[in-house]
């Protein structure tokens, strides 16, 4: 076939031809996939747009030998670290209200609908991940801030 060629040179040529064939195949498959995605996106434009939602999470903070106020100030930063860079970019988190005497806080979660699930999972595992002396227990999730503010108030009989 090739006069004066060694076996390693023939293997290198065969591998380079196989790599070129695989790259051409991947380009063809990606172009087909992109074409079908464009057809699907054109037919259902409303489905392709994701709606951003706001939800409010009522959290009870229980601390062991630590200050609850400093924990709540660091809470959003800790949740962002637990979520990671990709989910932190998709999900917004802010402290809406905090009552130190009750040890309860309201967090505002904005983003896609899945963000609430991710934030609840991060809150549940926060004390394990960062070896914190406080535990954040999610109590309620609501789309209306006034309902959770009513839950923050304590009415005593008598």
């Amino acid at each position: 076939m090739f006069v004066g060629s060694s076996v390693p040179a023939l293997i290198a040529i065969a591998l380079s031809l196989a790599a070129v064939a695989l790259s051409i195949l991947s380009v063809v498959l990606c172009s087909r996939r992109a074409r079908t995605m464009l057809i699907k996106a054109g037919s259902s434009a409303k489905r392709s747009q994701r709606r951003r939602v706001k939800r409010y999470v009522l959290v009870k903070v229980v601390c062991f030998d630590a200050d609850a106020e400093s924990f709540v100030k660091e809470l959003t930063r800790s949740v962002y670290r637990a979520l990671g860079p990709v989910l932190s970019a998709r999900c917004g988190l802010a402290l809406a209200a905090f009552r130190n005497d009750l040890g309860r806080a309201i967090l505002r979660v904005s983003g896609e609908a899945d963000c609430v699930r991710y934030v609840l999972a991060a809150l549940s595992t926060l004390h394990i991940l960062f070896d914190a002396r406080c535990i954040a227990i999610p109590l309620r999730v609501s789309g209306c801030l006034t309902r959770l503010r009513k839950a923050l108030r304590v009415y005593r009989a008598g």
Side-chain angles (χ1 to χ4, degrees), residues 4 15 19 21 34 39 44 53-54 59 66-67 82 88-89 91 93-94 115 124 135 154:
L15 287 176
I39 291 169
S44 62
V53 295
K54 286 183 195 171
V59 177
D67 184 28
S88 296
C91 304
L93 186 68
C115 287
S124 299
I135 298 174
V154 174

Side-chain angles (χ1 to χ4, degrees), residues 50-92:
R50 297 220 177 215
R51 255 183 58 190
R52 293 186 61 85
V53 295
K54 286 183 195 171
R55 296 288 181 260
Y56 297 94
V57 180
L58 179 64
V59 177
K60 182 175 183 172
V61 178
V62 179
C63 289
F64 310 104
D65 304 330
D67 184 28
E69 191 170 351
S70 63
F71 175 74
V72 170
K73 287 180 182 176
E74 295 290 324
L75 186 63
T76 56
R77 192 173 309 143
S78 299
V79 171
Y80 277 136
R81 283 192 309 178
L83 289 177
V86 175
L87 290 176
S88 296
R90 286 176 42 194
C91 304

